[in-house]
Each structure stands twice: as C-alpha cells, then as structure tokens.
Amino acid sequence: MRRVVVAGIGQTVFGKFLHRTVRSLAEEALSSALADSGIEAEQIGVTYFANALSGLVTGQETIRGQVALRNTGVMGRPIINVDNACASGSTAFHLAWLAVASGQADVALAIGAEKLTHEDKSVTFGAFASGVDVEERARLQMDAPQGHSVFMDIYAERARRYMASSGATPEDFALVCIKSRQAASTNEWAQFRAPVTAEEVLGSRMISTPLTLNMCSPIADGAAAAILVSEAFAQRLAKPRVYVKASAIVSANQDGLGTTAAERAANAAYEAAGLGPEDIHVAEVHDASAPAEIMLYERLGFAAPGEGVALLRDGVTSVGGRLPVNPGGGLLSRGHPVGATGIAQLIELTTHLRGTAGARQREGARAALAECSGGQLGADSALAAATILTNF
Amino acid sequence: MRRVVVAGIGQTVFGKFLHRTVRSLAEEALSSALADSGIEAEQIGVTYFANALSGLVTGQETIRGQVALRNTGVMGRPIINVDNACASGSTAFHLAWLAVASGQADVALAIGAEKLTHEDKSVTFGAFASGVDVEERARLQMDAPQGHSVFMDIYAERARRYMASSGATPEDFALVCIKSRQAASTNEWAQFRAPVTAEEVLGSRMISTPLTLNMCSPIADGAAAAILVSEAFAQRLAKPRVYVKASAIVSANQDGLGTTAAERAANAAYEAAGLGPEDIHVAEVHDASAPAEIMLYERLGFAAPGEGVALLRDGVTSVGGRLPVNPGGGLLSRGHPVGATGIAQLIELTTHLRGTAGARQREGARAALAECSGGQLGADSALAAATILTNF
C-alpha cells in the first residue's frame, strides 16, 4: 500500500440555507478543494460522494453524486455514492484513501454534501429517523412526537447512564458547549460562532432530559471535500505534506454488546498507524450531543474510564490545551450537515498539521485523530470510523 | 494488485414478495454464498452492501447494510453502503474486488438486496423516479401519470431513435423477450420462466410506445451475494477457480455527449483485461427494456453499429449460440431487484465459467462480460459498470 497525501481541502460555510441545493453546495466545496490543491478536476481519477439524508429531504436518491457533480470536470470517470449515516463523509474519505493507497488512482476525491433544511421541519426529523433500524423503531415506539430527532432521545439515555456512572453533571455538558463555541469563534466555516454562557446552555429548551437545545448538534446544510493523492503525485504540489496514516471502519457487534464501535475503530487505527492515544496532539470527535464528547475522551483512550470529565474541566481539550478536541467547533458549533461532517473533521485536522489553523492552532501538532460514529443499532452506534493524519 | 477469485455465489429467487424484508432476503443470499464457498461469515473482512430504492419504499436509509445484516457474522467489521442506481450491485462487487486486489482484505463480500413491492404501486414508481436528476425531471415534466416508471419513457425514446437509425422493429424487441424467457426457463432463480410468443409480447399492454409491458423489466424483490478472495486464500477452497479479470465504472460525460457510458466502461474493462469483445464467450447486459439489449450488442463491441439486430435474429446471442447474452434471463425474465441485479449477472457468468450452468451452459466458456448501467442524466445513463470474469 502506498502512502497517501491530503493534497487539497475545501468546504462551504455550514448553516441553514433553505434555498441552496446539494449541487450548489457540492460545487462550492469542490472548487475550494481544487483551488487549495492546485489540481484540476480533470486529474481526479475517482470520486466518492457521501450523502446520508438528503434523499428523504429532496427526493434525489441513487445517483446523488452524478447529479450533484454533473456540471464539473470529474464527470466521465467513476463516481461512487456511499452512505454510512453520520460517518458517510469518513467512509468516502476511507475509500478515496484506499483507491490511492492501492494504486487504483493517483488522485481521488472524497466529497460530502448534505441538504437538511426543509420548510417542514418534520421532513428533516423524519430523515434522521432513517438512521436507526426502522422495524426496531416501530417496535420500541421510538418515534419522537415532540419535534426533534429520535437520536436525541438515544443520546439522552446514554447521557443519563454516563452521569450515573461517572458523576458528570449537566454543568459539565454546558462546559462542552462553551468550549465548543470558543473554538468555533475563529472558524469562518462554523454555523455558531457567538459565545454562550452556562446559564444560556442550561436554560435553553429541554429537548430530552438532560439534553437542552444547546447541547444538541444543530440542523445544517453544507459540503466538504478532500483531494487525496499519491506521494509521487504530491511532489509537484506546494502545500505542506499531510499524510493519511491510518483509516479504519467498524460496525456494531452482532449482539450489540462488548467494546463499542468507536473504541474498536480507534484501536484499529492506532494499531495500523503504530501510534497510541498519547501520540495524538489534536482530535475531532463525534459530539452529536455534548455528553458524547466527554464519553469519547474515554473510548478513544485520551482518559481512563470515568476520567473524561476531569480532562474537560482541566482545560486539556480546549483550544490552547495539550490535546484540543473539536477545535473547529465540532458538530455542536461548526454544524452537522451529516454527509459532510466526517470530511470537515479531517479538513480541520489538516490545517493544524499544516500549521495554518491560525488562532486555534495546536502548536507543534504532529498527529491527529478524527472519530465519527454513524446510526444506531441496539445499544451502540451502527458503525464508527477513525482516521489518523500525521505530518511525518 | 493481487488476482481476485470469485469464491462463493448465492441468491434468492427474484419475484414479488410483499411480506419479505430486505433483511430476510439479504440473509438468505448471504447464507447461500457462504455455503457455496465453504467460508464462514466471520472470515469476511469487509462488506459492501448495495441497495438503491428500498429507502423510499421502506423508510430504511443510511445504515441499510448494518440493519439488514445485524444478525449475521459479518458484524463488527466494516460494512459500507453503496448506491449507484441499477449498477449498485456492480459497484459493490467492484469495491469488494478492489479491497481484495489491494490487499486490504483476504475475503470481501459484495451483497445487494432490494425490496420494491409495496401495497401502493405508486410508492415503487416514485422510488424509481429518484434515479434521474429530480430538478431536471420537474423541469421536463417527466413524471409519469400513467402508473409506470419514468425510465420506461426514457427507454422508449431511445428505442424510437434506434428503430429509425437501424431498421429494428417491434418484432425484434419481441424476439429479445422470447429469447429471454427461453433462457430463464432453466433458471430456478428467475421471476418469469414460462415461454411467451411474439403475439403475446406485442399484444401486452402498451407502456410507452413502442414498449409493451413484456418488453419492460418487471418490479422484483430479491438479493444476491458474491464472496471474493485472494488467490492465496482460494488455495484452500474446492470450487473451480473463476477470476475477476477487470472491473471498470464510469460516469456520464459532463456535457452528456460523446461515447456512451456503457461503451466507455466496456472499453476500459477490455483494456485492463487485455481482451476484446471477440474473446467474450458469454455476457450479461442491462436489458432494462428489450431494445436496450440489442443496442448494447453494438456498444459492447459484439456487433458493428446498426448490426445488433442481425446478431439477435441469427440466434448468435441465444442459449446454444456462439455468444449467449443474458443466458440467465436478464432483467426482463430473471427480474430486476435493482441493488441485486449487478451481482446476479456475475453469479450467472460464474456458473458458466465453472461449467455448472446446466442446460444453458456456454460450452468452453473462458471469458465473460457483465455490463450494468445506472440512472439517467440528459441523453445517457448516469453511469455504467463493466466486469470481465475468466477461468484462466
């Protein structure tokens, strides 16, 4: 397998753009990634297009990438549509990495685009409900009549169990939100950049106890793209070299028990990279709700079980800390256009490894980890993806 | 890149199974492929799951494979959901081939499953309408009020142009149907196995001139699976060796003009395999409508432009002919559970290369070609896939 370089990155601002299309978002992210790389669209050998929920919002399914990119120079060559729920973008990135690593292509594009806003909010929430086993959903009467995604009830239940076992409090979850907004304040692509206070977070509308509105990742539209190339191809490019050191995807266990998907994905990536959690300088994790970020500190090996909260309270994971987590604002503040999220995480990490992350730069960053979970099966995520980038 | 062996194949009967689920169909196909190969589910390193339209029929999207396979031994390891319209199964096969060829996995599963029947037929036809550019569909007022898939209007328009340029007649299209049913008569997995006459085909309900009902591929549910392994892994298996010699996917051209996707995909596969159309002994092609089969003879290089009809009339492409095309019955008679079709084509070809195709065996078959098109953009398919299998 060949070494693979992240040669170009680009994204749209994430936010609510009722009148923009998947195509318009995808075209903007692609143009931006091409400009960043100095590569022409015609040089892209294969495209992996990630989209999870727009089919149910817009009616466009099955040839989503070909439709979104039909006016661009990637046409003619293979376009493969992938969908792995919230980890769809990570999956596209994984396959693009594999295409280059295996020698199938010298230049591969991973692009995720999502259109979630709809005049009727129930259409959007209904789309999210396709990310669980729909038969199980019906059997367990999980459909949320309150006008929010069924996932927030799932996350709330996890949060309650974590509070009971760890001593974490709603104030800790508010701290995740405050930290997230601080990070996003310098991210021009983020949906929410204004600071929040603990009072505002705890006082915002209760969605599913203990999760208040501010603790839940928002509905967003947006797109993100990454161009991966072989090391030989990268010789002709000017950007600082960032490598895909490892990429792993796992699914839930058959019985839904045992080690979580997130933990197994991270362990597989650490092993493939020959690195451990102690080697990671900056991370982006799947904070679809605020408590999830703290739980992930433990699952990814950044903290021992039960000690994630201490890491947060001590500021270790804030911008300026030893191990900034979600320096781009995470799903909570950057926003969560589902199919784009996994790639947006890797874009943020790439800027740190290039040394171009500006005010939120993790100084001396050498290795970075992205983790993204997807969907829900029984007690675990349906899948998880972990990617390690390095600049050595 | 390593050589890749088709180690196991299995499918369900294709047909209308209103009360079966995607999971039940997928589990049956997987069990059958495992039994055929002598491989255990736990040995499968990565799974590519193809489904195109069931999301709009059943509401289950985004983690389709994880939900369908949650009770099987493939769980825990990566499951990647792919969607490329009618070529979804071919795409899953392509990615499984790449995973093994690149050394990422020694054993990879390509599985396609589709649930299309619904008590309300308009739900099924509505799902098919997601396979074109939905904005273009609205602009061109392509939505079919007559109760059939929008694709049949597209195919009918192509057929009329082909009739004008080649002299093909509706009687020729009927001949494709007769040949298809004759082939399917010995295929225990086929949806339609009873013979038809020209009178019956031409006298069946007119769907979109010149296409009568019998000239259109039917609505079907079903699943198909193929297990691919490295040559080293295949040493321990008992089955005759069938190799994936080449696999190519292309998308429509940016301007929708120039050489068709089917032709470019086939040419790319021929070049990668070091073979030409004259080397192919048996083929499966995307006969979503009867005229398409004849046009594909020309696009795949089996006949010169305008001479496809002669090939058909002379019986060259019938079972027993020099180059049987769609010996398994094709989409017209085997049925067309969209995500499963591309893999079912490759299952049929594998049996010929193993020498186990029984009454419809192409004697002495050494090389076989499968072609599958997907979706529609402007005047061409949105994409096409071509795969060449050999037993040498």
Side-chain angles (χ1 to χ4, degrees), chain A residues 65-100:
Chain A
Q66 290 88 352
V67 168
L69 302 171
R70 68 183 292 182
N71 298 328
T72 76
V74 307
M75 292 302 289
R77 296 175 304 289
I79 298 175
I80 291 165
N81 299 297
V82 299
D83 180 5
N84 256 344
C86 295
S88 295
S90 319
T91 301
F93 191 95
H94 175 84
L95 293 171
W97 161 73
L98 180 60
V100 176

mmCIF file of all heavy atoms in Angstrom, chain A residues 65-100:
data_model
loop_
_atom_site.group_PDB
_atom_site.id
_atom_site.type_symbol
_atom_site.label_atom_id
_atom_site.label_comp_id
_atom_site.label_asym_id
_atom_site.label_seq_id
_atom_site.Cartn_x
_atom_site.Cartn_y
_atom_site.Cartn_z
ATOM 1 N N GLY A 65 -24.405 11.648 -6.369
ATOM 2 C CA GLY A 65 -23.136 12.276 -6.739
ATOM 3 C C GLY A 65 -23.113 12.690 -8.200
ATOM 4 O O GLY A 65 -22.633 13.773 -8.554
ATOM 5 N N GLN A 66 -23.604 11.817 -9.072
ATOM 6 C CA GLN A 66 -23.602 12.134 -10.502
ATOM 7 C C GLN A 66 -24.466 13.363 -10.772
ATOM 8 O O GLN A 66 -24.136 14.187 -11.645
ATOM 9 C CB GLN A 66 -24.110 10.924 -11.316
ATOM 10 C CG GLN A 66 -23.161 9.733 -11.343
ATOM 11 C CD GLN A 66 -23.357 8.778 -10.176
ATOM 12 O OE1 GLN A 66 -24.108 9.053 -9.246
ATOM 13 N NE2 GLN A 66 -22.672 7.642 -10.212
ATOM 14 N N VAL A 67 -25.578 13.492 -10.063
ATOM 15 C CA VAL A 67 -26.442 14.655 -10.248
ATOM 16 C C VAL A 67 -25.772 15.910 -9.678
ATOM 17 O O VAL A 67 -25.763 16.968 -10.316
ATOM 18 C CB VAL A 67 -27.817 14.421 -9.590
ATOM 19 C CG1 VAL A 67 -28.623 15.716 -9.514
ATOM 20 C CG2 VAL A 67 -28.597 13.359 -10.367
ATOM 21 N N ALA A 68 -25.182 15.794 -8.503
ATOM 22 C CA ALA A 68 -24.591 16.967 -7.856
ATOM 23 C C ALA A 68 -23.378 17.479 -8.623
ATOM 24 O O ALA A 68 -23.122 18.679 -8.656
ATOM 25 C CB ALA A 68 -24.197 16.635 -6.421
ATOM 26 N N LEU A 69 -22.645 16.568 -9.254
ATOM 27 C CA LEU A 69 -21.376 16.947 -9.886
ATOM 28 C C LEU A 69 -21.465 16.998 -11.407
ATOM 29 O O LEU A 69 -20.447 17.101 -12.090
ATOM 30 C CB LEU A 69 -20.276 15.965 -9.448
ATOM 31 C CG LEU A 69 -20.050 15.891 -7.926
ATOM 32 C CD1 LEU A 69 -19.101 14.744 -7.572
ATOM 33 C CD2 LEU A 69 -19.505 17.212 -7.400
ATOM 34 N N ARG A 70 -22.668 16.926 -11.962
ATOM 35 C CA ARG A 70 -22.817 16.767 -13.412
ATOM 36 C C ARG A 70 -22.244 17.916 -14.218
ATOM 37 O O ARG A 70 -21.961 17.738 -15.402
ATOM 38 C CB ARG A 70 -24.278 16.496 -13.804
ATOM 39 C CG ARG A 70 -25.234 17.636 -13.589
ATOM 40 C CD ARG A 70 -26.670 17.234 -13.952
ATOM 41 N NE ARG A 70 -26.846 16.997 -15.391
ATOM 42 C CZ ARG A 70 -28.016 16.679 -15.965
ATOM 43 N NH1 ARG A 70 -29.092 16.523 -15.207
ATOM 44 N NH2 ARG A 70 -28.095 16.493 -17.254
ATOM 45 N N ASN A 71 -22.097 19.066 -13.593
ATOM 46 C CA ASN A 71 -21.536 20.211 -14.319
ATOM 47 C C ASN A 71 -20.053 20.426 -14.031
ATOM 48 O O ASN A 71 -19.509 21.488 -14.344
ATOM 49 C CB ASN A 71 -22.319 21.480 -13.952
ATOM 50 C CG ASN A 71 -23.774 21.372 -14.363
ATOM 51 O OD1 ASN A 71 -24.094 20.722 -15.361
ATOM 52 N ND2 ASN A 71 -24.653 21.972 -13.588
ATOM 53 N N THR A 72 -19.399 19.443 -13.453
ATOM 54 C CA THR A 72 -17.983 19.604 -13.083
ATOM 55 C C THR A 72 -17.093 18.667 -13.895
ATOM 56 O O THR A 72 -17.573 17.719 -14.525
ATOM 57 C CB THR A 72 -17.752 19.309 -11.589
ATOM 58 O OG1 THR A 72 -17.793 17.884 -11.399
ATOM 59 C CG2 THR A 72 -18.802 19.968 -10.713
ATOM 60 N N GLY A 73 -15.806 18.918 -13.809
ATOM 61 C CA GLY A 73 -14.824 18.145 -14.573
ATOM 62 C C GLY A 73 -14.524 16.763 -14.044
ATOM 63 O O GLY A 73 -13.692 16.060 -14.621
ATOM 64 N N VAL A 74 -15.175 16.340 -12.975
ATOM 65 C CA VAL A 74 -14.948 14.955 -12.510
ATOM 66 C C VAL A 74 -15.796 13.967 -13.306
ATOM 67 O O VAL A 74 -15.589 12.759 -13.211
ATOM 68 C CB VAL A 74 -15.238 14.770 -10.995
ATOM 69 C CG1 VAL A 74 -14.468 15.777 -10.174
ATOM 70 C CG2 VAL A 74 -16.723 14.837 -10.703
ATOM 71 N N MET A 75 -16.753 14.472 -14.087
ATOM 72 C CA MET A 75 -17.647 13.573 -14.833
ATOM 73 C C MET A 75 -16.848 12.753 -15.850
ATOM 74 O O MET A 75 -15.782 13.157 -16.300
ATOM 75 C CB MET A 75 -18.742 14.367 -15.533
ATOM 76 C CG MET A 75 -19.736 15.015 -14.571
ATOM 77 S SD MET A 75 -20.602 13.850 -13.468
ATOM 78 C CE MET A 75 -21.683 13.017 -14.633
ATOM 79 N N GLY A 76 -17.442 11.599 -16.197
ATOM 80 C CA GLY A 76 -16.795 10.705 -17.143
ATOM 81 C C GLY A 76 -16.104 9.563 -16.421
ATOM 82 O O GLY A 76 -16.160 8.424 -16.859
ATOM 83 N N ARG A 77 -15.469 9.891 -15.314
ATOM 84 C CA ARG A 77 -14.765 8.864 -14.544
ATOM 85 C C ARG A 77 -15.666 8.363 -13.405
ATOM 86 O O ARG A 77 -16.768 8.845 -13.229
ATOM 87 C CB ARG A 77 -13.441 9.454 -14.086
ATOM 88 C CG ARG A 77 -12.567 9.773 -15.333
ATOM 89 C CD ARG A 77 -11.283 10.473 -15.029
ATOM 90 N NE ARG A 77 -11.443 11.707 -14.297
ATOM 91 C CZ ARG A 77 -11.963 12.850 -14.804
ATOM 92 N NH1 ARG A 77 -12.407 12.915 -16.048
ATOM 93 N NH2 ARG A 77 -12.061 13.925 -14.066
ATOM 94 N N PRO A 78 -15.208 7.333 -12.666
ATOM 95 C CA PRO A 78 -16.113 6.730 -11.674
ATOM 96 C C PRO A 78 -16.533 7.686 -10.551
ATOM 97 O O PRO A 78 -15.699 8.409 -9.997
ATOM 98 C CB PRO A 78 -15.307 5.555 -11.102
ATOM 99 C CG PRO A 78 -13.937 5.651 -11.653
ATOM 100 C CD PRO A 78 -13.950 6.578 -12.805
ATOM 101 N N ILE A 79 -17.809 7.659 -10.251
ATOM 102 C CA ILE A 79 -18.374 8.351 -9.089
ATOM 103 C C ILE A 79 -19.147 7.290 -8.315
ATOM 104 O O ILE A 79 -20.021 6.628 -8.876
ATOM 105 C CB ILE A 79 -19.325 9.482 -9.497
ATOM 106 C CG1 ILE A 79 -18.564 10.543 -10.298
ATOM 107 C CG2 ILE A 79 -19.997 10.096 -8.268
ATOM 108 C CD1 ILE A 79 -19.466 11.640 -10.851
ATOM 109 N N ILE A 80 -18.804 7.134 -7.049
ATOM 110 C CA ILE A 80 -19.426 6.094 -6.244
ATOM 111 C C ILE A 80 -20.104 6.743 -5.049
ATOM 112 O O ILE A 80 -19.476 7.481 -4.296
ATOM 113 C CB ILE A 80 -18.365 5.056 -5.819
ATOM 114 C CG1 ILE A 80 -17.921 4.282 -7.076
ATOM 115 C CG2 ILE A 80 -18.910 4.116 -4.759
ATOM 116 C CD1 ILE A 80 -16.660 3.481 -6.916
ATOM 117 N N ASN A 81 -21.409 6.482 -4.916
ATOM 118 C CA ASN A 81 -22.193 7.073 -3.836
ATOM 119 C C ASN A 81 -22.137 6.187 -2.613
ATOM 120 O O ASN A 81 -22.485 5.008 -2.694
ATOM 121 C CB ASN A 81 -23.650 7.220 -4.282
ATOM 122 C CG ASN A 81 -23.768 8.130 -5.485
ATOM 123 O OD1 ASN A 81 -23.439 9.303 -5.400
ATOM 124 N ND2 ASN A 81 -24.199 7.582 -6.611
ATOM 125 N N VAL A 82 -21.706 6.750 -1.497
ATOM 126 C CA VAL A 82 -21.648 5.969 -0.269
ATOM 127 C C VAL A 82 -22.494 6.626 0.809
ATOM 128 O O VAL A 82 -22.681 7.842 0.827
ATOM 129 C CB VAL A 82 -20.199 5.792 0.247
ATOM 130 C CG1 VAL A 82 -19.359 5.062 -0.776
ATOM 131 C CG2 VAL A 82 -19.563 7.112 0.600
ATOM 132 N N ASP A 83 -23.002 5.789 1.681
ATOM 133 C CA ASP A 83 -23.871 6.267 2.754
ATOM 134 C C ASP A 83 -23.585 5.432 3.990
ATOM 135 O O ASP A 83 -23.785 4.223 3.969
ATOM 136 C CB ASP A 83 -25.327 6.114 2.322
ATOM 137 C CG ASP A 83 -26.295 6.589 3.386
ATOM 138 O OD1 ASP A 83 -25.838 7.126 4.421
ATOM 139 O OD2 ASP A 83 -27.508 6.425 3.184
ATOM 140 N N ASN A 84 -23.080 6.044 5.016
ATOM 141 C CA ASN A 84 -22.884 5.352 6.288
ATOM 142 C C ASN A 84 -23.304 6.287 7.413
ATOM 143 O O ASN A 84 -22.561 6.530 8.358
ATOM 144 C CB ASN A 84 -21.410 4.909 6.440
ATOM 145 C CG ASN A 84 -21.230 3.416 6.190
ATOM 146 O OD1 ASN A 84 -22.197 2.654 6.185
ATOM 147 N ND2 ASN A 84 -19.996 2.992 6.003
ATOM 148 N N ALA A 85 -24.497 6.837 7.284
ATOM 149 C CA ALA A 85 -25.076 7.714 8.303
ATOM 150 C C ALA A 85 -24.112 8.870 8.609
ATOM 151 O O ALA A 85 -23.500 9.408 7.686
ATOM 152 C CB ALA A 85 -25.459 6.914 9.547
ATOM 153 N N CYS A 86 -23.948 9.234 9.870
ATOM 154 C CA CYS A 86 -23.108 10.385 10.228
ATOM 155 C C CYS A 86 -21.658 10.182 9.830
ATOM 156 O O CYS A 86 -20.898 11.148 9.766
ATOM 157 C CB CYS A 86 -23.185 10.657 11.723
ATOM 158 S SG CYS A 86 -24.825 11.158 12.260
ATOM 159 N N ALA A 87 -21.253 8.932 9.563
ATOM 160 C CA ALA A 87 -19.879 8.649 9.155
ATOM 161 C C ALA A 87 -19.768 8.505 7.636
ATOM 162 O O ALA A 87 -18.792 7.957 7.127
ATOM 163 C CB ALA A 87 -19.369 7.391 9.848
ATOM 164 N N SER A 88 -20.730 9.016 6.903
ATOM 165 C CA SER A 88 -20.689 8.900 5.436
ATOM 166 C C SER A 88 -19.460 9.599 4.860
ATOM 167 O O SER A 88 -18.790 9.074 3.966
ATOM 168 C CB SER A 88 -21.952 9.513 4.821
ATOM 169 O OG SER A 88 -23.097 8.784 5.199
ATOM 170 N N GLY A 89 -19.171 10.791 5.353
ATOM 171 C CA GLY A 89 -18.009 11.529 4.850
ATOM 172 C C GLY A 89 -16.714 10.806 5.178
ATOM 173 O O GLY A 89 -15.802 10.709 4.346
ATOM 174 N N SER A 90 -16.626 10.266 6.391
ATOM 175 C CA SER A 90 -15.442 9.492 6.788
ATOM 176 C C SER A 90 -15.288 8.277 5.884
ATOM 177 O O SER A 90 -14.168 7.855 5.566
ATOM 178 C CB SER A 90 -15.579 9.008 8.231
ATOM 179 O OG SER A 90 -16.122 10.002 9.060
ATOM 180 N N THR A 91 -16.418 7.679 5.498
ATOM 181 C CA THR A 91 -16.386 6.490 4.654
ATOM 182 C C THR A 91 -15.904 6.847 3.252
ATOM 183 O O THR A 91 -15.106 6.119 2.652
ATOM 184 C CB THR A 91 -17.780 5.838 4.607
ATOM 185 O OG1 THR A 91 -18.165 5.488 5.947
ATOM 186 C CG2 THR A 91 -17.790 4.599 3.734
ATOM 187 N N ALA A 92 -16.373 7.971 2.722
ATOM 188 C CA ALA A 92 -15.896 8.423 1.413
ATOM 189 C C ALA A 92 -14.391 8.675 1.472
ATOM 190 O O ALA A 92 -13.641 8.303 0.557
ATOM 191 C CB ALA A 92 -16.634 9.692 0.989
ATOM 192 N N PHE A 93 -13.939 9.303 2.549
ATOM 193 C CA PHE A 93 -12.509 9.568 2.727
ATOM 194 C C PHE A 93 -11.738 8.244 2.799
ATOM 195 O O PHE A 93 -10.677 8.108 2.173
ATOM 196 C CB PHE A 93 -12.313 10.385 4.015
ATOM 197 C CG PHE A 93 -10.931 10.946 4.201
ATOM 198 C CD1 PHE A 93 -10.631 12.244 3.806
ATOM 199 C CD2 PHE A 93 -9.929 10.195 4.797
ATOM 200 C CE1 PHE A 93 -9.358 12.782 3.992
ATOM 201 C CE2 PHE A 93 -8.651 10.715 4.985
ATOM 202 C CZ PHE A 93 -8.363 12.009 4.581
ATOM 203 N N HIS A 94 -12.275 7.290 3.526
ATOM 204 C CA HIS A 94 -11.648 5.960 3.667
ATOM 205 C C HIS A 94 -11.470 5.300 2.301
ATOM 206 O O HIS A 94 -10.419 4.747 1.981
ATOM 207 C CB HIS A 94 -12.536 5.107 4.578
ATOM 208 C CG HIS A 94 -12.110 3.695 4.742
ATOM 209 N ND1 HIS A 94 -11.150 3.297 5.652
ATOM 210 C CD2 HIS A 94 -12.495 2.549 4.103
ATOM 211 C CE1 HIS A 94 -10.967 1.987 5.574
ATOM 212 N NE2 HIS A 94 -11.772 1.508 4.643
ATOM 213 N N LEU A 95 -12.507 5.353 1.480
ATOM 214 C CA LEU A 95 -12.447 4.697 0.175
ATOM 215 C C LEU A 95 -11.522 5.444 -0.784
ATOM 216 O O LEU A 95 -10.836 4.830 -1.597
ATOM 217 C CB LEU A 95 -13.851 4.562 -0.413
ATOM 218 C CG LEU A 95 -14.779 3.610 0.361
ATOM 219 C CD1 LEU A 95 -16.206 3.704 -0.168
ATOM 220 C CD2 LEU A 95 -14.297 2.160 0.269
ATOM 221 N N ALA A 96 -11.499 6.765 -0.678
ATOM 222 C CA ALA A 96 -10.580 7.546 -1.511
ATOM 223 C C ALA A 96 -9.137 7.224 -1.119
ATOM 224 O O ALA A 96 -8.252 7.068 -1.985
ATOM 225 C CB ALA A 96 -10.860 9.042 -1.348
ATOM 226 N N TRP A 97 -8.896 7.103 0.169
ATOM 227 C CA TRP A 97 -7.569 6.705 0.664
ATOM 228 C C TRP A 97 -7.193 5.338 0.092
ATOM 229 O O TRP A 97 -6.092 5.144 -0.415
ATOM 230 C CB TRP A 97 -7.586 6.682 2.199
ATOM 231 C CG TRP A 97 -6.485 5.881 2.819
ATOM 232 C CD1 TRP A 97 -5.167 6.214 2.891
ATOM 233 C CD2 TRP A 97 -6.604 4.589 3.433
ATOM 234 N NE1 TRP A 97 -4.466 5.212 3.520
ATOM 235 C CE2 TRP A 97 -5.311 4.209 3.865
ATOM 236 C CE3 TRP A 97 -7.680 3.718 3.679
ATOM 237 C CZ2 TRP A 97 -5.066 2.990 4.511
ATOM 238 C CZ3 TRP A 97 -7.441 2.518 4.321
ATOM 239 C CH2 TRP A 97 -6.156 2.160 4.722
ATOM 240 N N LEU A 98 -8.138 4.403 0.164
ATOM 241 C CA LEU A 98 -7.859 3.052 -0.326
ATOM 242 C C LEU A 98 -7.565 3.056 -1.821
ATOM 243 O O LEU A 98 -6.678 2.338 -2.302
ATOM 244 C CB LEU A 98 -9.056 2.145 -0.017
ATOM 245 C CG LEU A 98 -8.936 0.699 -0.456
ATOM 246 C CD1 LEU A 98 -7.749 0.019 0.219
ATOM 247 C CD2 LEU A 98 -10.229 -0.058 -0.147
ATOM 248 N N ALA A 99 -8.312 3.883 -2.565
ATOM 249 C CA ALA A 99 -8.104 3.939 -4.018
ATOM 250 C C ALA A 99 -6.685 4.407 -4.347
ATOM 251 O O ALA A 99 -6.036 3.882 -5.250
ATOM 252 C CB ALA A 99 -9.140 4.856 -4.667
ATOM 253 N N VAL A 100 -6.199 5.397 -3.608
ATOM 254 C CA VAL A 100 -4.842 5.905 -3.860
ATOM 255 C C VAL A 100 -3.798 4.952 -3.283
ATOM 256 O O VAL A 100 -2.807 4.622 -3.939
ATOM 257 C CB VAL A 100 -4.673 7.323 -3.278
ATOM 258 C CG1 VAL A 100 -3.231 7.802 -3.457
ATOM 259 C CG2 VAL A 100 -5.632 8.292 -3.953
#
